Amino acid sequence: MSTFFYGGDYNPDQWSDEIVDLDLELFKKANINIVTLPVFSWAKFQSSDTEYHFEWFDKIINKITASGLNICMATSTAVQPAWMSHKYPEILPVDFEGRKRAFGGRVKFCPNSEIYREFASKLVTKLVERYGNNKNIKLWHVGNEYDNWCYCPKCQSEFRNWLKEKYSTLDELNRVWYTSFWGHTFYSWDEIVAPSGLSEMWNDNGRVRTNFQSISLDYARFMSDSILDCYKLEYKIIKDRFPQIPVTTNFMGFFKPLNYFKWAEFIDVISWDSYPGVGEPYFLTSMRHDLMRSLKKDRPFLLMEQTPSQTNWAPYNSCKRPGDLKLQSFQAIAHGSDSVMFFQLRRSVGACEKLHSGVIDHVGHGETRVFRECTELGDVLNKLGSQITGSIMENKTAIIFDWENWWALEYSSGPSTELFYLNEIEKYYNALHKTGAGIDFVTPDSDLSQYSLVVAPCLYLISNRNGRNIETYVKNGGKFVTSFMSGVVNETDLAYLGGYPGPLSNVLGIWVEEFDSLPKGKFNTGIPTSSFLDREYKCEMVFDIIHTLNAQSLAIYGNDYYKDLPVITKNIFGSGDAYYIGSSFEQDGIDSIIRKLSPGSDLNIEVFGNVETTLRKNSMDKLLFLLNHDECKNKIDLKNNQFQNLQTLEKHSGQLELNAKDVMVLRLLNE
Amino acid sequence: MSTFFYGGDYNPDQWSDEIVDLDLELFKKANINIVTLPVFSWAKFQSSDTEYHFEWFDKIINKITASGLNICMATSTAVQPAWMSHKYPEILPVDFEGRKRAFGGRVKFCPNSEIYREFASKLVTKLVERYGNNKNIKLWHVGNEYDNWCYCPKCQSEFRNWLKEKYSTLDELNRVWYTSFWGHTFYSWDEIVAPSGLSEMWNDNGRVRTNFQSISLDYARFMSDSILDCYKLEYKIIKDRFPQIPVTTNFMGFFKPLNYFKWAEFIDVISWDSYPGVGEPYFLTSMRHDLMRSLKKDRPFLLMEQTPSQTNWAPYNSCKRPGDLKLQSFQAIAHGSDSVMFFQLRRSVGACEKLHSGVIDHVGHGETRVFRECTELGDVLNKLGSQITGSIMENKTAIIFDWENWWALEYSSGPSTELFYLNEIEKYYNALHKTGAGIDFVTPDSDLSQYSLVVAPCLYLISNRNGRNIETYVKNGGKFVTSFMSGVVNETDLAYLGGYPGPLSNVLGIWVEEFDSLPKGKFNTGIPTSSFLDREYKCEMVFDIIHTLNAQSLAIYGNDYYKDLPVITKNIFGSGDAYYIGSSFEQDGIDSIIRKLSPGSDLNIEVFGNVETTLRKNSMDKLLFLLNHDECKNKIDLKNNQFQNLQTLEKHSGQLELNAKDVMVLRLLNE
Amino acid sequence: MSTFFYGGDYNPDQWSDEIVDLDLELFKKANINIVTLPVFSWAKFQSSDTEYHFEWFDKIINKITASGLNICMATSTAVQPAWMSHKYPEILPVDFEGRKRAFGGRVKFCPNSEIYREFASKLVTKLVERYGNNKNIKLWHVGNEYDNWCYCPKCQSEFRNWLKEKYSTLDELNRVWYTSFWGHTFYSWDEIVAPSGLSEMWNDNGRVRTNFQSISLDYARFMSDSILDCYKLEYKIIKDRFPQIPVTTNFMGFFKPLNYFKWAEFIDVISWDSYPGVGEPYFLTSMRHDLMRSLKKDRPFLLMEQTPSQTNWAPYNSCKRPGDLKLQSFQAIAHGSDSVMFFQLRRSVGACEKLHSGVIDHVGHGETRVFRECTELGDVLNKLGSQITGSIMENKTAIIFDWENWWALEYSSGPSTELFYLNEIEKYYNALHKTGAGIDFVTPDSDLSQYSLVVAPCLYLISNRNGRNIETYVKNGGKFVTSFMSGVVNETDLAYLGGYPGPLSNVLGIWVEEFDSLPKGKFNTGIPTSSFLDREYKCEMVFDIIHTLNAQSLAIYGNDYYKDLPVITKNIFGSGDAYYIGSSFEQDGIDSIIRKLSPGSDLNIEVFGNVETTLRKNSMDKLLFLLNHDECKNKIDLKNNQFQNLQTLEKHSGQLELNAKDVMVLRLLNE
């Protein structure tokens, strides 16, 4: 592919032939080159156990093929037909509170339903057979935004099988689940029930809590695996016949229910749906792109969905302001996307998404602001595609992000209800991002050797094996940073004996005796005891009481009974060094710490204001992306570097100006 | 009737003979002339499928009849007996979350239960036969505060029948419900389930949301109809035997679950229960009275319930302050009521309403502040009744209020979670009310020809037919005002293609390209571009981006990317003109707009402070009501008009003073 | 016993032999002399209907016995085994919302389950037989923190039996439940269902509400009784064999679901679990100790659980600051405890309490701050035990606290959602506590003759018999204080006719005509009309409108329509006097009132700052406890009293200084 995919979700089955013809004209006008379909057509394809109907879609796909559009071929398995739900109620899930669902919504099927799996497989087989040879199909799109944890009897029975497979014996399960606590010893697999609102868990003002972290953690793994199995079933059917066509499913960024790192193994190209929140800082969108890209670092990802303007499901659905569309589209590209795709190409007339914007609006013509911006963007993408697509990122800093740690940390009971993994990840990402560093996300067992800095906020759950992985990284010269509440439990959520931070004790050279916690609004401070920290900063929520063994103290607490005890430590270990940040510092404090440690951008350039820079590389070129997120002009100092503007072909060095919300892509000439 | 009904709910079955005798004395003392009963006595009347017991009630009704009191005869069908719920569990409803209820509370029966309907009919038949000839019965009171949406299997099956009746074919249902969205196509009526918390809907912090607006909208219609069928069953039984006695059921003002405009056809006299909130502005009570009166504009309504002092069910139940009772009672009369009735005449001893005030308190005598105020009020009503009752209102301004639009607008997903229909209705009512105009509520298909001004805030759902109704009204010289988010969907909640405001485009002469939305606390402004608006005003929540076609711009946005685009437009259409208010303005802004358009009071008088004025008319007289809602004296300038005070017979013109919280009724002498 | 019990919950079954041996060493080091076990081992003891396993516990108990530790022998019945829940699902409860629970959590069994009761009895019988003769067992500990209301069919059927027993006839039940209200008349016992979220009740933002207070009140009584029956079953088994060993179960302070006064009859020694909230004022902990002590005033109680440092289940789990442990332990002793016991002696490795502190932490040695503080405390307790244990308190002031009133008042519908019984109890306790008075809690039918002052805030529910009890107390010279909303309903929650405060009218000499209520944030004031109140104070929430009959007015309202009417009254009655406080005054106001009435401390001493004083007595001695709750030194003026310090043997009189957070126990020498 030497062009960006530009297009998105299209539902021609909702429209008359005349309107579809008009749409195809408008797509051409807007430089659109790909349509995703049919995402939700199972019910139209199949009307009973044995009756299938494809003629209506033949017509549509022929028309689309004739118009020269690429096709992102969806499998339509995200919503099972109503008749199927009616005839086979087992397909309907049971929710966390124990309620059996009736037919409705989407992605509302039990992932372990045999009926679902059988019918989904049959449908996908038929789609592959009938349409697989269509040359315009450039991508298969399995399901849609998978999200369907279930607590039905079938899931409970499959959970028991999954546990048998994992633990072999009940003795081992009783040990790992720590069932001697509260007398929960199991004598038969049949006694095990799913952890839910009816058994071990409860919803505490939006935070889901549990009595038994190990059980809930295993159910999270099991559910992520069960749903992945649904995906893999379809994946295999497609790959068996058309191994050369990439297969994907659309992810949702930091989506807690599914361990996307585990899923990524079975995804040929990562794709995801980006919906920045109204008023959110832009670095959060960059962070999500970086996570998605990092799932498969050796290749670009795809922006599968974004909205042309407003969404419909948020509390407040603002229109995208003029320029936002281009800026956010290039933000995706700057972080590694080879596509810009929309939900939805034409705005539907009924149901909830009729108030969600589309490239073509209800008014039905191209004379709208949104359509014009889409057209202009398509034109730019058209021109730049061959020079950018295929390039990747090679970064020197990484953040360890682990879904299992996310689950375990937030299932933990104590020390603070304010402790959210993503908040801590965001703070460190924000600080790194400000230094201009390109950032990968990695897992605790990733090969870390390419990085000069690895940051692992709140690495609460960590195996001994992963502890050794980090030790090796530091011994060989790496810089490692972790923060409070790290090294507390092993991979089955059992606490390490012998002192925290468990398997990280050696590399960090410390012992954490207590984790104090204070209510929201109460603070301590970190006071520098070396040049490492430039001034005193506030810290809050959790306060580790640290004893240095081999480490040195870089900053100490300013208050409370642990006043003067270390809050930031550094341990020289082999050729590297390891830092421990014992509390949740205010953003400025984390910025100060990270500035000392980050390698920054690969290029010696300087930016002013909220200008974001990233680098994509291919075998030939280094491409510098400049994105001005401010509402005013900003300066960039390219210094002695020589660049060529991909669009204007102009050459640049030294000082440069970038308009409000504008974007520039520069090829590095010297080096 | 040439006197006010004065009295209310009475439960003599809760009391000993001695206390009932005492009560009848006290009623006389308090000038009470009507009692409502038996509202909740089904269980006493019927102890098994076949056993009925009326003797106890014979005694009571004889005693009441002997005392000369009028009777508002209730049918007791609001609570089915416990034994019936036990023997026939199908009578018990299933709630929105799918939970089957046990016996308890009130109005907790499935409206489609055949058992309920059969037994209710039998009971009412017996009551009519046994007591119908009692000459003191002046009114029949069916059920009580109907409010019982249900999601049980029977309701679901009746919903399917209702749909078959409405749509005839599944093709039509699939089209209208837009089931191609999210693959919801139905192949058999049996596949359809009720939209509830188990299927398409969910409760989002108190705001009920849905995936499929059309489905939920139809279920709302179906439920309102189902419950109406229960009422009609009883209505018919009574009218068949006693066609001359009016039949009612007590309404609850702006009560979302039931489309009272549709119900009103089967109500002989509208009656309702008014419970102003603690600290609420008084115009809200006026607004509710006006809605209730407007359900049957050609006759007075009845105030069926109000509390003598404090309620028990609110978060904070303040006592009515001295004078409140008279003022609020006359507020009802001023807006068209021919009664002042209480819940409850004697305060019950047990269960939740024992902390709800009554005319006679637990202390059991008349030496209480509340009893004294009731007595004084009864005396005044006694004197004025013959001069006021029977008179009606003839207003020149109307607000379009549509239950179907209420449901549809608040089921909509986007653009803002802050968008509530009543808030917008209230703002415009408040502004109109301040101008002294008498205000009717009408539906979108009402004959509008009598009005000089019709206001239709947020007319989101509107049929083409109703669009033509409004066009005709304006063409013939009417003034029409509507606001943002209007003309978006048709009567089945499908968006209009070709540009908003759909069927109102022609009469308004505009095209609305986008509906922007901003979070709570963010504002834009409207800046005058003509003399129409007197200054700049803040606006919020939703911001329509308007293109004038034939219309002219009266005010423009002050900020954002649509700065300088129109926010208020006016279109001259035929002999009338039509205004569009593109955002949610602060109250002062709406006041300013409405002052320009309202015909104001029919009489040329001027009031100061919070003095409310209304006009009732009969064939002979115009009656001016003056209500001083302030805690201080206020002036009124009657100008050259000559009036006679109904109570004192004094004549007035020119300047007049009204005491704090005082009330005056004046007959216009000249004209 | 002439020493404090010092130790707590220990779960050796969770640990290897080596670790248990190490623990026993560490216990010795820390001066620990008692362990509580096995609290949650039912599943380990019993693996099927017939298979029991005690050998593993024999080993443990032998080891513990050999080490010389005392044993608090637990019965392990708080969690039934998983296999039992699986085989006999009837054992699993149904919750308030009607959901059948699956196995999980703890204390999650139906209290009326016959299976549960049968198996629990068998287990306890076996434990008693096998271990009862062990001389180290000093106490039996039944269940654990009972808390299991249930709404299952069995409970509903037992509820009907309980009602038959109580009311004999349905006529009486219909009368008392006031079922004529809302037509709820029952004709058969079978028609009665439990009041729950499916029938008469609902959860209103955390406040549980009901339509029928009498029904809900009876269900509360029934549930407290049902659970007590479970306890009594075990109690009897133990006492039958070992009548000389005291039996207890651990209470939880002001725990609403169980009427502990009724339970106390079957508890040999009261024990409870004290977990002061982070940032809470210390008087609340004193108040809870005083309630627990008052359940059996003639003997000391036991502090069964407290945390060595942080908990895990609170929103914010702060570590106990240095010194807190000693101070809080002596606070329990100062209020009558003869033990200081912990949850948990060793911190568990898995499940939710792994983040709850223990005397021995995960690090596994004694070199922690917490272990050191525990050791020092053990040393002090060791030295002082023989001089303190066995002594009791003899107080002159009492607060009436009644579980039935708690239930009834908070089930009441109106007048204010802000009305919470404990808030009012706390205000008066706080005021009394500041005067240095020792405070007992009593019930409305306690013998009050020993008290010079009895305070009964919001005595909403009171029987005529109890009214006479209070009359007698005052007539004989007592001082009685009650507050707004008192004397409203009888013991079946039926309002008193003839004027509030019902049976207290005579003794108080007043008639309360209305209970006004204002929203949160609105205030009235009380203005002194005598020297009783020293200045004007704010009052809020509820405002009783009072007419003095025989009483005199001490203060009047400053505002509103009852301005100048009494808000505080005093009635001289026989040799005593009775005060009525007609609104909820700010704390300073209540302090001022109580200062006038409280007898204060038994000793003529003066303290400064937050120094708490209490007196324990035995046949020989009066022991003065001084607890400095401030973070700074404070003075105490012992005046002419002569004391000897129990620890240093130093003699003291006159001025004394107590260090921050320090504690002193002095024996009175003169008197």
Side-chain angles (χ1 to χ4, degrees), chain A residues 97 178 181 183-184 187 191 198-200 211 213 413-415 417-418 493 495 498 500 513-517 560, chain C residues 14 40 43 83 86 99 101-105 310 312 315-319 321 349 351-352 354-355 362 368-369:
Chain A
E97 301 295 347
Y178 210 68
F181 180 78
H184 275 42
Y187 288 100
E191 297 160 13
L198 297 184
S199 59
E200 301 292 1
N211 294 316
Q213 283 68 29
S413 180
T417 197
E418 297 294 325
D493 205 83
Y500 322 118
E513 185 181 345
E514 308 180 42
F515 310 123
D516 189 30
S517 174
D560 222 315
Chain C
Q14 296 176 5
F40 296 111
W83 68 259
H86 179 68
R99 304 178 318 165
R101 286 191 60 85
F103 176 73
Q310 70 194 147
N312 69 290
Y316 310 101
N317 299 280
S318 300
C319 294
R321 271 50 197 153
V349 155
C352 60
K354 69 176 168 294
L355 296 186
H362 288 151
T368 64
R369 176 183 73 90

Side-chain angles (χ1 to χ4, degrees), chain A residues 21-238:
Chain A
D21 290 339
L22 172 63
D23 288 348
L24 295 177
E25 286 307 306
L26 287 168
F27 293 166
K28 223 163 262 171
K29 190 168 165 197
N31 301 292
I32 279 169
N33 60 31
I34 191 166
V35 294
T36 303
L37 83 179
V39 178
F40 295 112
S41 298
W42 193 347
K44 287 209 175 153
F45 284 134
Q46 188 177 6
S47 61
S48 76
D49 286 39
T50 52
E51 292 166 283
Y52 288 86
H53 315 277
F54 294 105
E55 304 70 21
W56 67 271
F57 191 68
D58 294 347
K59 261 180 65 184
I60 284 168
I61 203 168
N62 288 341
K63 199 174 263 202
I64 285 166
T65 305
S67 86
L69 288 164
N70 294 307
I71 295 168
C72 171
M73 183 74 190
T75 63
S76 272
T77 52
V79 179
Q80 78 280 11
W83 66 260
M84 199 181 289
S85 309
H86 178 68
K87 183 166 181 189
Y88 302 104
E90 60 138 282
I91 210 172
L92 294 168
V94 169
D95 70 14
F96 179 79
E97 301 295 347
R99 305 179 315 166
K100 176 79 173 173
R101 286 190 62 82
F103 176 72
R106 61 176 208 181
V107 203
K108 297 293 183 193
F109 54 84
C110 162
N112 285 298
S113 160
E114 281 164 21
I115 290 289
Y116 172 82
R117 290 188 179 189
E118 189 183 315
F119 276 124
S121 298
K122 272 191 197 156
L123 176 67
V124 176
T125 304
K126 284 178 192 286
L127 290 175
V128 166
E129 281 167 3
R130 192 172 191 105
Y131 303 109
N133 282 312
N134 183 313
K135 296 296 177 241
N136 292 31
I137 294 177
K138 295 293 156 41
L139 188 67
W140 279 84
H141 175 295
V142 171
N144 188 64
E145 295 188 347
Y146 280 103
D147 165 24
N148 47 330
W149 282 31
C150 175
Y151 300 83
C152 78
K154 173 70 173 168
C155 282
Q156 302 208 32
S157 129
E158 288 303 322
F159 181 45
R160 288 176 207 117
N161 291 335
W162 185 92
L163 293 168
K164 270 180 231 172
E165 186 70 27
K166 179 169 183 185
Y167 294 117
S168 300
T169 68
L170 278 168
D171 278 357
E172 178 61 5
L173 174 132
N174 279 318
R175 185 189 71 78
V176 159
W177 280 8
Y178 210 68
T179 57
S180 53
F181 180 78
W182 289 2
H184 275 42
T185 308
F186 296 104
Y187 288 100
S188 151
W189 297 97
D190 291 346
E191 297 160 13
I192 297 168
V193 298
S196 77
L198 297 184
S199 59
E200 301 292 1
M201 304 179 73
W202 68 101
N203 190 321
D204 181 13
N205 290 312
R207 181 161 190 148
V208 173
R209 301 188 58 178
T210 179
N211 294 316
F212 276 81
Q213 283 68 29
S214 306
I215 304 181
S216 297
L217 183 59
D218 268 343
Y219 205 74
R221 288 167 173 140
F222 163 68
M223 269 296 136
S224 179
D225 286 359
S226 296
I227 299 168
L228 174 55
D229 284 345
C230 291
Y231 167 83
K232 280 161 67 178
L233 210 64
E234 301 191 26
Y235 178 80
K236 196 174 171 314
I237 292 167
I238 300 163

Side-chain angles (χ1 to χ4, degrees), chain C residues 208-228:
Chain C
V208 173
R209 302 188 58 179
T210 179
N211 293 316
F212 277 81
Q213 283 70 30
S214 307
I215 305 181
S216 297
L217 183 59
D218 267 344
Y219 205 75
R221 289 168 172 138
F222 164 69
M223 269 296 136
S224 179
D225 285 359
S226 296
I227 299 167
L228 174 55

Side-chain angles (χ1 to χ4, degrees), chain C residues 305-330:
Chain C
E305 292 184 17
Q306 69 172 346
T307 180
S309 182
Q310 70 194 147
T311 58
N312 69 290
W313 40 262
Y316 310 101
N317 299 280
S318 300
C319 294
K320 286 193 177 173
R321 271 50 197 153
D324 284 353
L325 181 62
K326 182 179 174 193
L327 181 62
Q328 291 179 10
S329 298
F330 268 93

Side-chain angles (χ1 to χ4, degrees), chain B residues 229-288:
Chain B
D229 283 344
C230 291
Y231 166 83
K232 281 160 67 178
L233 210 62
E234 301 190 26
Y235 178 81
K236 196 173 170 317
I237 293 166
I238 300 163
K239 297 306 278 189
D240 279 355
R241 281 292 300 273
F242 297 99
Q244 76 289 5
I245 307 291
V247 179
T248 191
T249 184
N250 47 343
F251 282 169
M252 291 179 278
F254 287 82
F255 183 66
K256 198 174 172 188
L258 303 179
N259 185 343
Y260 284 154
F261 271 116
K262 198 164 174 189
W263 279 57
E265 192 184 334
F266 308 95
I267 309 280
D268 295 329
V269 55
I270 299 296
S271 69
W272 87 285
D273 303 343
S274 176
Y275 291 95
V278 168
E280 234 181 33
Y282 70 89
F283 82 86
L284 290 175
T285 302
S286 298
M287 182 173 89
R288 292 174 201 133

